[in-house]
Amino acid sequence: MAACAVKPQRELTAAFFRIFHLQVSYSISLGLAALKKYLYPSLLLVFGLLAVAIYVFKKPAPRMPGLKERHSDLSVGKEWLNTKAAIQDLLARLRTDPNDQKSRLLLAQAYMQEARVTGDHPYYDGAAMQLVEEVLKAEPENFEALCCKASLSLTQHHFAQGLGLAQKAQKLNPRSGFVYGLLTDANVEMGHYDEAIRMADKMNQVRPDLAAYARVSYLREIHGDVPGAIEAMDYAVKAGVIGLEQTEWTRVALGHLYEVSGDTARARNNFLMAIAARPGYAYALAGLGRMAAAKKDYATAIKNYQQARAMVQDYAFTDELTDLYRLNGQPVEAEKMARESIAMLAGAAKEADENEQMGHYADRELAYAYLKTNELDKALEHAKIEYERRPDNIDVNETMAWVLYKRGDYAGAHKYMQVARRTGSKNPVLLCRAGLIMTKVGKDAEGQRLIENSLKTAPYLNPEVEAEGKALLASR
């Protein structure tokens, strides 16, 4: 029985005995003849009131979230057997001792990892948050629990909340590399890039490992140093254990950096290595899909994305299938995927609006999704919502710029694009969009140069932008 339920029940029981004592004394004074007439109904009433009070005051313990079965390739192999055994053991410990906060926190962390592996963030992130909140209720300054809550907030795109939680955790333990990783991520998402660099440096001073090198890589990429980003991500891959989800995610990220630099051969090799180390890995399958699309083999690209989508719940696969179906001359399937993407994102956004802590903020993604269905008013609405949350983030400013460009507001688009480019990123999609916008505000020479460089590097990364860029160059 939970401690919070014990006190009310004890008080009610004591009250019952006090009432019972008074009732019996009163009945004796009336005489034995009145006993049946007055005592029995009174006792029944008292027992009834006591039962109702116990029902009202006794709050059932929260239901312990369980583990879902995996499917397809995710359910094959020793890793799943080990994961399942470990989680079942933690659940058994908590059934034996509901106050075992260490096991509760380990279970939350296991569910957070399961969310990464399966893509089922709505279930597992919610389950992890429930467990973390229970730990923090018992131990408000539990450092690991605060870090877990910060990480969950970032995963759900509650970036400001995640930053606040990470800052609180850092005050409790300023020597943790993990907390500096959280602070790096949160500051990047909020657009505080100088502070993000400072936090990443601290992380590498405390504990240089896969996670630390990966963050250095991302910051270098943001600031236009793609060779340096590749170098750091290569360190990250080599620091990991082959086959683990974290390692192969990092290997796929390395492959994507090669894509951004235009080296499709090395990109493909990294995706293939990730598949070999972790069969059926969804993000590597998607990478191979992009490699097929680069060769205009859209049927193979669609097949790869369908396999990835069957493995992991990620709206990005559905979104990219929209483009691939259009390129492959399948407009009905493309429209179906576009509407499915919007439904997935809108459901998450609605949950986020109704729940301060959980529910994936997806307004930036929704803005792009609505552009694909030519719902420009809705695209602008969601772009603005995201901008209000993160006005300094370069990706959010790029989204605002592109939505305004699509609406014909070229001066407004140029204003936001200048902010989006302030870190010097050389992302080919960003540069092509910037070039298209420049040609609309009288900066033809610079705009054409950006478009040409982008199309030489990695035109297939965004088919819509590629088509607009090629059409503009052809008209000049």
Side-chain angles (χ1 to χ4, degrees):
M1 185 182 297
C4 62
V6 172
K7 186 176 179 181
Q9 289 185 60
R10 285 176 177 169
E11 290 175 350
L12 284 167
T13 304
F16 164 70
F17 282 117
R18 288 197 297 271
I19 293 168
F20 180 79
H21 173 74
L22 291 171
Q23 187 68 50
V24 171
S25 299
Y26 178 66
S27 297
I28 290 172
S29 69
L30 290 177
L32 189 61
L35 184 63
K36 290 182 180 180
K37 183 177 180 180
Y38 296 103
L39 179 59
Y40 294 165
S42 298
L43 285 175
L44 288 173
L45 178 61
V46 171
F47 276 115
L49 290 172
L50 179 62
V52 170
I54 290 174
Y55 176 79
V56 170
F57 281 97
K58 182 181 179 181
K59 294 182 180 179
R63 184 174 177 273
M64 189 71 65
L67 178 68
K68 289 185 176 182
E69 285 292 331
R70 290 187 189 175
H71 59 85
S72 61
D73 285 353
L74 294 178
S75 63
V76 178
K78 192 173 180 181
E79 180 194 89
W80 170 232
L81 294 176
N82 290 340
T83 297
K84 190 154 53 171
I87 288 176
Q88 295 301 341
D89 178 62
L90 290 169
L91 287 166
R93 290 185 191 181
L94 286 167
R95 283 192 292 269
T96 302
D97 181 6
N99 295 317
D100 183 354
Q101 304 304 340
K102 182 178 179 180
S103 292
R104 181 169 279 106
L105 192 55
L106 288 172
L107 182 60
Q109 292 167 345
Y111 283 161
M112 290 166 68
Q113 179 60 24
E114 196 64 12
R116 284 177 57 92
V117 171
T118 64
D120 192 356
H121 287 279
Y123 175 77
Y124 282 115
D125 286 351
M129 184 64 86
Q130 175 188 322
L131 294 163
V132 168
E133 289 286 21
E134 290 168 9
V135 174
L136 288 172
K137 186 177 180 180
E139 302 172 6
E141 294 197 343
N142 185 305
F143 169 76
E144 290 186 355
L146 283 170
C147 286
C148 285
K149 187 173 180 179
S151 181
L152 285 164
S153 296
L154 295 177
T155 299
Q156 295 292 316
H157 289 194
H158 294 230
F159 298 122
Q161 177 177 294
L163 177 58
L165 288 164
Q167 288 170 334
K168 183 177 179 180
Q170 188 259 344
K171 289 177 182 177
L172 294 173
N173 183 0
R175 297 186 178 183
S176 164
F178 183 75
V179 78
Y180 287 116
L182 293 173
L183 287 166
T184 302
D185 297 342
N187 279 294
V188 164
E189 297 297 349
M190 294 304 293
H192 308 156
Y193 300 107
D194 290 343
E195 182 66 7
I197 291 171
R198 197 169 73 85
M199 294 298 100
D201 285 344
K202 280 184 172 291
M203 185 182 188
N204 278 273
Q205 290 168 10
V206 172
R207 186 176 178 179
D209 58 6
L210 179 152
Y213 294 137
R215 284 170 170 90
V216 169
S217 174
Y218 185 49
L219 285 165
R220 287 179 178 178
E221 181 191 2
I222 286 173
H223 287 85
D225 181 8
V226 177
I230 289 172
E231 179 188 39
M233 196 65 79
D234 186 52
Y235 281 138
V237 171
K238 290 173 180 174
V241 177
I242 294 174
L244 288 184
E245 190 275 336
Q246 294 92 328
T247 305
E248 301 318 316
W249 182 92
T250 306
R251 198 185 308 277
V252 168
L254 176 59
H256 184 61
L257 285 170
Y258 280 120
E259 281 187 87
V260 170
S261 71
D263 191 341
T264 54
R266 282 194 173 91
R268 178 180 170 79
N269 285 340
N270 275 279
F271 300 143
L272 288 171
M273 284 190 285
I275 289 283
R278 194 173 180 84
Y281 189 46
Y283 296 100
L285 285 168
L288 291 174
R290 290 193 300 276
M291 296 297 93
K295 296 180 179 179
K296 302 193 183 305
D297 182 1
Y298 301 125
T300 299
I302 288 169
K303 182 180 177 182
N304 280 320
Y305 269 97
Q306 286 173 332
Q307 290 176 343
R309 188 167 173 259
M311 293 287 291
V312 169
Q313 301 175 39
D314 191 325
Y315 89 92
F317 299 149
T318 306
D319 178 67
E320 293 189 58
L321 274 169
T322 301
D323 293 329
L324 290 170
Y325 279 125
R326 284 178 179 159
L327 291 167
N328 203 43
Q330 296 175 264
V332 174
E333 287 298 321
E335 181 68 16
K336 179 183 175 183
M337 289 295 103
R339 292 295 169 189
E340 193 169 322
S341 292
I342 288 172
M344 291 170 70
L345 293 167
K350 184 175 183 295
E351 183 184 353
D353 288 339
E354 295 172 352
N355 186 339
E356 284 187 4
Q357 293 186 342
M358 294 300 294
H360 184 87
Y361 282 140
D363 292 287
R364 177 171 171 264
E365 294 87 347
L366 270 169
Y368 285 119
Y370 279 121
L371 286 180
K372 291 187 179 182
T373 58
N374 204 35
E375 296 175 85
L376 302 185
D377 288 345
K378 289 184 178 179
L380 181 59
E381 174 191 344
H382 287 283
K384 284 182 174 179
I385 290 171
E386 192 66 45
Y387 181 79
E388 287 174 5
R389 292 194 192 107
R390 303 189 284 152
D392 296 325
N393 180 275
I394 58 172
D395 296 326
V396 174
N397 278 274
E398 179 185 359
T399 304
M400 280 292 297
W402 193 239
V403 170
L404 291 173
Y405 168 83
K406 287 293 186 178
R407 292 173 62 88
D409 181 0
Y410 303 125
H414 182 58
K415 181 186 75 171
Y416 286 104
M417 184 54 78
Q418 286 180 305
V419 179
R421 295 186 62 202
R422 79 179 194 273
T423 61
S425 171
K426 291 185 174 61
N427 182 283
V429 176
L430 170 68
L431 296 183
C432 195
R433 283 175 172 155
L436 288 165
I437 291 169
M438 283 181 171
T439 62
K440 297 294 185 180
V441 294
K443 299 185 177 183
D444 287 3
E446 186 178 357
Q448 288 185 46
R449 179 177 57 80
L450 288 174
I451 295 168
E452 288 169 356
N453 289 339
S454 171
L455 294 179
K456 285 178 184 177
T457 305
Y460 62 92
L461 285 176
N462 189 302
E464 177 198 24
V465 174
E466 175 192 5
E468 288 206 32
K470 286 181 176 179
L472 186 139
L473 293 178
S475 69
R476 300 300 167 113

